[in-house]
């Protein structure tokens, strides 16, 4: 099997989204509903430490190029239920300022740059979501 790496960078577009709350591990993550989000507002790259603090142990509900739910556990496993791709399981890791995924239904690792506006709103790969604790 040949190992390939695909890098997705943020897209500059206006995206509508609405999300709901999740409680995957007993810790509560409240999710904000926003009507329209200009992805250009997401000017800060999410650091590996920030990703671990905000996303690990939680689920996100995303909207944009697709909509769905993705959960991240503390041992590097992830689950996604996506309206376009369907469901899948895999692993996640952070490397070089990106979040990288190896999915069971794909041969190539996919790495994404997660962006934030600094106010609990996130953007990556055409998808948006909001977290506030």
């Amino acid at each position: 099997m040949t190992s390939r790496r695909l890098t997705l960078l943020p897209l500059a577009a206006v995206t509508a989204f609405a999300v709901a709350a999740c409680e995957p591990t007993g810790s509560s993550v409240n999710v904000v509903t926003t009507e329209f989000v200009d992805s250009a507002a997401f000017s800060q790259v999410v650091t590996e430490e920030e990703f671990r603090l905000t996303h690990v142990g939680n689920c996100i509900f995303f909207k944009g190029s697709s909509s769905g739910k993705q959960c991240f556990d503390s041992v590097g496993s992830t689950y996604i239920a996506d309206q376009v791709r369907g469901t899948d399981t895999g692993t996640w890791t952070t490397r070089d300022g990106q979040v990288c995924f190896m999915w069971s239904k794909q041969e190539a690792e996919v790495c994404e740059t997660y962006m934030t506006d600094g106010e609990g709103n996130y953007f990556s790969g055409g998808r948006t979501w909001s977290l506030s604790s």
Side-chain angles (χ1 to χ4, degrees), residues 55-69:
H55 288 71
V56 175
N58 293 308
C59 295
I60 62 171
F61 292 84
F62 57 86
K63 188 96 174 155
S65 59
S66 183
S67 61
K69 172 183 176 180

Side-chain angles (χ1 to χ4, degrees), residues 62-68 81-86 125-128:
F62 57 86
K63 188 96 174 155
S65 59
S66 183
S67 61
D82 184 299
Q83 284 185 338
V84 173
R85 291 182 28 211
R127 300 175 317 272
T128 56

Side-chain angles (χ1 to χ4, degrees), residues 1 4 8-10 43 48 61 66 70-71 81-82 86 90 95 97-98 110 116 121 125 131:
M1 173 172 30
R4 294 173 280 164
L8 301 177
L9 298 176
S43 60
E48 294 177 23
F61 292 84
S66 183
Q70 184 171 2
C71 302
D82 184 299
R95 181 175 50 257
Q98 294 187 309
V110 176
T116 183
N121 302 304
L131 302 175

